[in-house]
């Protein structure tokens, strides 16, 4: 009888784990079940990993993931102590606290609320010594109503079976639920379901005994899991399809390329069937257009998503695409100010040294530096002049930079420039650098750009929509006159002669073709203009746009092109006495006896601005603005802080001069008895600064 029992036990031990004595094959609970038939040895990987007396002394391909067979057998022989849970021999997992004598089988430990940490040195903790979680003393987090994974009700008491996110403290969950999530999402996708935190969340879950597999997510490992996503809708749903090859025909580009609805993606049209321009890529089907037009429902959706800024920005973008006004109402200045919040004042400033008038060279050197960070503040120093206040260096630098950038990769008249094709600039990636510098200028307090042509802005940001390009948009190039002759041809013979005169360029543009009627000239001119302004400049446009994406400028302008068009395409509004007066906030003294005198000085100030505007002073409004702020125009982002006026009550009013603090956009006006004294002293102070800057 004894022999039979031993034989039975020996047979049983070969099929079950040598450490925990269980035959279960459950990788999620106990890890992979591994059998070495040549050694008649079977173990669960987690049982082996958590055993107190065995270590990984071999290579990954030796034994069982580096655990040598002889070491495993010695551990099996060593594990003779009774399990604290099932009271059977073979317990190999001990509490990591040296003074604690509790030993368990790995599965028994899971039942008895042991915490196993799957990080080196893979310690295990019994119920009495296991790590715990607690809420911050100052936490104002409301109690959870449900598990954030399974959404079932949860008891709002932290315990072995109830855990929380350490980042937001709002996401609570059952241990089994978060463990299942970890097995599914694995290390690359496992994060808090509410706040989306990954690093703190994974570190805390490992501390609390959650096993996170080091692999890709389970859904990524399924064979052909995303096969259906590779199938795109290719069918023209226009009421009347103009394609001779049928509704399913789609060319890669051109009139008969199928565009899918930008909202639902389940409807399509050929460009020509929807009367879209050759360069347009955005189209919405009738159903989606009607849905966007339902403003009541859309406003409700935006209200529900009010805390999701990216969602609101995307809705605004869709409204603009559908020809509706933006729901946001944000001005370009407000959007730029929001982007400027990225600029860190806690990091070292980026030094920029300008020698002579070589502003552009210094700027190009800046963006090509390996340590260039566009979100760091600029520290500009001019070596050729000691008279520019250090606080005004950055504004002066950006103002000169925008002026010089207009003569780099742009061509055309002032205030209406297009991109030019420059092979050397492409090789040196100047298009990207210029786009980056323009974005940098806008965010760091530079002036409005104001030199883009309508055609350039339209191609970059598709605004205004449905406005065809014309020959005039080409500017005064050497080829413009020849295109105009084609456009102005009054007979077929005259058209052919004009085409022959421009044949060399037409061949390069791919526009040289037979014409059978005078009406063909319209399509021909359209193709020529499209080639000249768009097709031949695709790579420069691409790199220029990439540069404009610095600090998020391009994306925001693309969402709100109507708000930015004047900033890019129109010269800054000329300063007037009224706008200058409104620009400065007056701060009166607290003493009532001086308020009356200060009010009189405010009247002097406004009268002085009017005289500057009409030319009755030795200074201009721009000179006064430079004196107060170091800027000759209002920056695109506005002044920060807003310009202010305060007052000085001198003992000798006749010898009192105004003082400026450009770093804080602050102007101090002396309290003087008459306008004549005020004007004389203002002119002296402003002119003195102008002369010093010119030295």
């Amino acid at each position: 009888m004894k022999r039979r029992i031993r034989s039975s036990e020996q047979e049983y031990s070969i099929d079950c784990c040598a450490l925990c004595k269980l035959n279960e094959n459950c990788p999620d609970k106990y890890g992979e079940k591994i059998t070495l038939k040549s050694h008649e040895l079977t173990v669960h990987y987690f049982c082996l990993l958590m055993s107190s007396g065995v270590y990984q002394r071999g290579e990954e391909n030796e034994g069982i993931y580096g655990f040598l067979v002889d070491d495993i057998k010695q551990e099996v022989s060593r594990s003779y102590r009774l399990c604290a849970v099932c009271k059977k021999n073979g317990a190999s997992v001990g509490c990591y606290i040296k003074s604690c004598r509790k030993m368990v089988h790995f599965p028994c430990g899971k039942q008895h609320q042991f915490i196993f940490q799957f990080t080196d040195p893979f310690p295990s903790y019994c119920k009495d010594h296991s790590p715990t979680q607690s809420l911050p003393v100052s936490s104002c987090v409301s109690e959870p109503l449900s598990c954030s994974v399974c959404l079932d009700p949860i008891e709002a008491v932290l315990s072995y079976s109830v855990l929380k996110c350490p980042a937001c403290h709002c996401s609570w969950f059952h241990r089994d639920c978060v463990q299942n999530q970890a097995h599914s999402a694995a290390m690359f996708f496992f994060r808090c379901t509410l706040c989306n935190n990954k690093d703190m969340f994974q570190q805390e879950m490992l501390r609390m005994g959650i096993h996170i597999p080091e692999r890709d997510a389970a859904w990524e490992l399924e064979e052909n899991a995303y096969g259906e996503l590779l199938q795109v809708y290719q069918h023209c749903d226009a009421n009347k399809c103009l394609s001779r090859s049928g509704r399913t025909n789609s060319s890669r580009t051109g009139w008969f390329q199928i565009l899918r609805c930008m909202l639902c993606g389940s409807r399509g049209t050929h460009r020509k069937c929807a009367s879209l321009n050759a360069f347009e890529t955005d189209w919405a089907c009738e159903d989606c257009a009607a849905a966007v037009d339902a403003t009541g429902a859309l406003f409700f959706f935006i209200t529900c998503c009010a805390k999701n800024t990216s969602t609101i920005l995307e809705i605004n973008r869709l409204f603009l695409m559908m020809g509706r006004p933006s729901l946001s109402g944000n001005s370009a200045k407000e959007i730029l100010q929001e982007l400027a919040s990225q600029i860190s004042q806690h990091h070292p400033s980026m030094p920029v040294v300008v020698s002579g008038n070589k502003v552009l060279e210094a700027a190009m050197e800046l963006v090509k530096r390996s340590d260039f960070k566009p979100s760091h503040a600029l520290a500009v120093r001019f070596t050729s002049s000691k008279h520019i206040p250090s606080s005004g260096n950055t504004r002066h630098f950006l103002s000169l930079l925008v002026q010089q950038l207009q003569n780099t990769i742009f061509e055309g008249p002032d205030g209406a420039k297009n991109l030019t094709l420059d092979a050397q600039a492409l090789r040196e990636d100047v298009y990207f650098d210029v786009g980056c510098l323009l974005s940098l200028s806008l965010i760091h307090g530079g002036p409005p750009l104001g030199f883009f042509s309508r055609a350039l802005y339209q191609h970059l940001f598709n605004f205004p929509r449905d406005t065809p390009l014309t020959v005039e948009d080409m500017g005064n190039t050497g080829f413009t006159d020849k295109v105009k002759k084609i456009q102005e041809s009054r007979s077929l013979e005259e058209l052919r002669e004009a085409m022959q005169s421009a044949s060399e360029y037409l061949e390069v543009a791919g526009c040289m073709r037979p014409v059978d009627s005078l009406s063909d000239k319209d399509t021909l001119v359209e193709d020529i203009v499209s080639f000249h302004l768009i097709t031949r400049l695709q790579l420069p446009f691409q790199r220029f746009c990439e540069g404009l994406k610095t600090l998020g400028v391009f994306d925001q302008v693309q969402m709100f092109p109507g708000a930015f068009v004047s900033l890019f395409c129109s010269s800054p509004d000329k300063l007037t006495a009224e706008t200058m007066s409104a620009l400065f906030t007056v701060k009166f003294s607290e003493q009532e006896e001086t308020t009356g005198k200060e009010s009189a000085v405010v009247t002097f100030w406004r009268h002085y601005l009017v005289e500057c505007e009409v030319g009755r002073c030795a200074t201009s409004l721009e000179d006064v603005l430079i004196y107060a702020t170091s800027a000759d125009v209002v920056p695109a982002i506005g002044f920060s802080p807003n310009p202010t006026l305060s007052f000085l009550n001198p003992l000798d009013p006749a010898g009192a001069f105004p003082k400026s603090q450009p770093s804080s956009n602050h102007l101090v006006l002396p309290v003087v008895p008459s306008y004549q004294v005020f004007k004389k002293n203002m002119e002296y102070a402003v002119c003195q600064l102008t002369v010093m800057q010119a030295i």
Side-chain angles (χ1 to χ4, degrees), residues 16-89:
C16 68
C17 174
L19 292 168
C20 71
K21 307 301 186 290
L22 292 181
N23 192 29
E24 292 186 40
N25 184 12
C26 185
D28 289 352
K29 282 186 177 182
Y30 310 129
E32 182 183 358
K33 185 179 179 181
I34 305 165
T35 299
L36 300 178
K37 291 184 179 180
S38 59
H39 296 280
E40 296 185 346
L41 180 66
T42 299
V43 292
H44 292 124
Y45 181 58
F46 288 172
C47 293
L48 180 60
L49 203 60
M50 294 299 166
S51 293
S52 302
V54 63
Y55 303 95
Q56 189 181 31
R57 297 193 303 117
E59 300 296 329
E60 284 289 331
N61 58 352
E62 294 184 82
I64 298 177
Y65 298 122
F67 291 95
L68 302 180
V69 173
D70 291 341
D71 292 348
I72 298 172
K73 288 183 176 180
Q74 286 182 13
E75 177 66 6
V76 173
S77 301
R78 186 193 67 83
S79 304
Y80 61 88
R81 298 186 60 179
L82 290 176
C83 173
V85 179
C86 68
K87 307 301 181 183
K88 295 181 181 179
N89 290 334

Side-chain angles (χ1 to χ4, degrees), residues 480-522:
T480 306
D481 292 337
K482 294 183 179 181
V483 181
K484 287 183 177 179
K485 286 183 178 180
I486 294 175
Q487 186 180 41
E488 296 168 358
S489 299
R490 298 184 179 180
S491 66
L492 185 59
E493 185 66 26
E494 192 175 341
L495 173 60
R496 287 172 176 167
E497 289 179 4
M499 289 178 62
Q500 187 60 38
S501 175
S503 59
E504 188 174 335
Y505 189 85
L506 293 179
E507 290 286 354
V508 173
C511 298
M512 193 64 183
R513 53 180 180 253
V515 290
D516 300 322
S517 66
L518 189 61
S519 60
D520 291 342
K521 71 176 183 180
D522 296 331

Side-chain angles (χ1 to χ4, degrees), residues 335-354:
I335 295 172
L336 291 177
Q337 287 173 350
E338 187 174 345
L339 292 177
S341 62
Q342 303 171 74
I343 299 177
S344 174
Q345 303 298 331
H346 304 292
H347 292 91
S349 299
M350 299 293 297
V352 183
V353 180
V354 183

